Amino acid sequence: MDWIIDLFTRTDSIAHIAFLYAIVIAVGVYMGKIKFGGIALGVTFVLFAGIAAGHLGFTAPLPILTFVQDFGLILFVFMIGLQVGPGFFESFREGGVKLNLLACSMILLNILVMFGCYYAFFDTTDQKNLPMLVGTLYGAVTNTPGLGAANEALSSVFPAGGPDIANGYACAYPLGVVGIIGATILIRYICKVKLHREEEDLEQKESANSSAKPYLMHLQVSNSYLSGHTILEIHEFMKRDFVFSRILRNNELIIPKSSTVLEQGDKVYCVCAEADAEAIIAFVGPKIEVPEFKEQEATKQMISKRILVTKSEINGKTLAKMHFSSVYGVNVTRVTRQGMDLFASSNLALQVGDRIMVVGDKTSVNRVASLVGNAIKRLDHPNIATIFVGIFLGIIFGSIPFAIPNIPVPLKLGIAGGPLIIAILIGRFGYKVHLVTYTTTSANLMLREVGLVLFLSSVGIKAGANFVNTVVAGDGLLYVLSGFLITVIPILIIGTIARLKYKFNYFTLMGMIAGSYTDPPALAYANSSCSKDAPAVGYSTVYPLTMFLRIFTAQLIIIFFCG
């Protein structure tokens, strides 16, 4: 039986360390699935499992815990950066600017409420209280990367060892999850929101703003002006995007190019942006039914095929630069990206993982398939080199010191901020330097979750030894109260302003609040309340900037106010 005792107690053993992490992570993940009042804490329960293990003396050497914690954090934030990178800059378009400004205001209010609680409830002469409240802040806003960034900055301010701010995080987190959803519901009653009217409003806006959706139709050319003009000339005259993928003329099927000349009476298969459909019909001719297309396609072996872009050299090239029509004799009518159909405009840049709808004769379509890859096995493997090149660059970037006047400690983005910024830039612009950033959603989520549970378990085990003293004998209840106020007050203020002053749809508002707090349970609740994708759109619009600011402000607060 000695070997079992050694497995639990011999802290310098590799088997013991692996055994410790396996138990803490497994228990935490399973416990996180249990719902309390219909809400589950999810993978974050790993932190509480780690605290329990640390409290019971089930631990590992401090250098090992620190390494696993930091590596897990790097992996976690880098994969988040890759995920949000492609949409980071696009999120500022149209209404996204207002939503992001509201999210920034909420972040600022979270910080101001934290300082209000600090001066109202705590002894400001005690050097450990403010760092503990920073931990409470990040538990209240359910932002784990911010906790990691604050922890890292704390090590530069307190080289000999600072307070375990994970205890403050653990005190505030459960009420943080509940408080976000509760405050969102309260806004609904404050602003007298009727959910069915919000759904109707979304339906009206969807029908009015459908320009990005592809629209397919058969037309007969009846405008005599078009006769004798090429498709390119018609494009330049109309100033609208459309693709004529097939033309039926005198019972002969033609795959048109930009130089193809139209004739009156031609029957064309047109794909365009939905918002442009009426204008094109008015200019070209009426919609018709053309059963002859299928007969002619069968005779000439014409096919329509979805082709997967898997070759890295295609990444970032626009459809115009690929010359599919003029060189290969095929037409690309639609592009499917991350489950969304996009109209194949000439300036649309292709990305690895896109599925393109190609129309043409069988030989030409197969030639295009070879050109772009169409090898699904390529996408089954994550681009591991890109991930570690990015981490390498991120650590270097995060280690660069930025000297600020009157601040004794130079500011560094650190192992949280550096990899995050590099990952965002690689995710958005990596194709320009031939870095393929595509990973399947499941692969990204797996790497992200592995990094997160390694970080949370390490933080919990390290904090566990002093957790009971902090909560029971110390200021634990004050941390809980402060966390609740930090969670609720900014949501009620900013949420009410966003609704009453800026007239945002309530479901979009729910997503914005969940994104501002980077809280998946709140997003899940919002999605369950709405049949549309407005909550997800609001969440994804503010999430990238919010995640960056949460991590960045964590370090600023520690360095500026705790040094």
Side-chain angles (χ1 to χ4, degrees), residues 358-385:
V358 180
V359 179
D361 66 83
K362 189 173 182 179
T363 302
S364 299
V365 169
N366 289 337
R367 191 181 301 127
V368 170
S370 299
L371 173 72
V372 301
N374 202 36
I376 195 168
K377 287 185 177 180
R378 285 174 180 247
L379 300 186
D380 288 339
H381 303 282
N383 294 287
I384 203 77

Side-chain angles (χ1 to χ4, degrees), residues 60-78:
L62 185 59
I64 298 292
L65 291 174
T66 302
F67 168 75
V68 175
Q69 170 188 315
D70 291 346
F71 180 74
L73 177 64
I74 291 169
L75 191 59
F76 176 52
V77 299
F78 188 82

Side-chain angles (χ1 to χ4, degrees), residues 73 76-77 80 138 142-150 416 455 518 547 551 554:
L73 177 64
F76 176 52
V77 299
I80 284 178
Y138 283 93
T142 68
N143 186 266
T144 308
L147 172 67
F455 169 76
T518 62
M547 181 62 76
I551 291 173

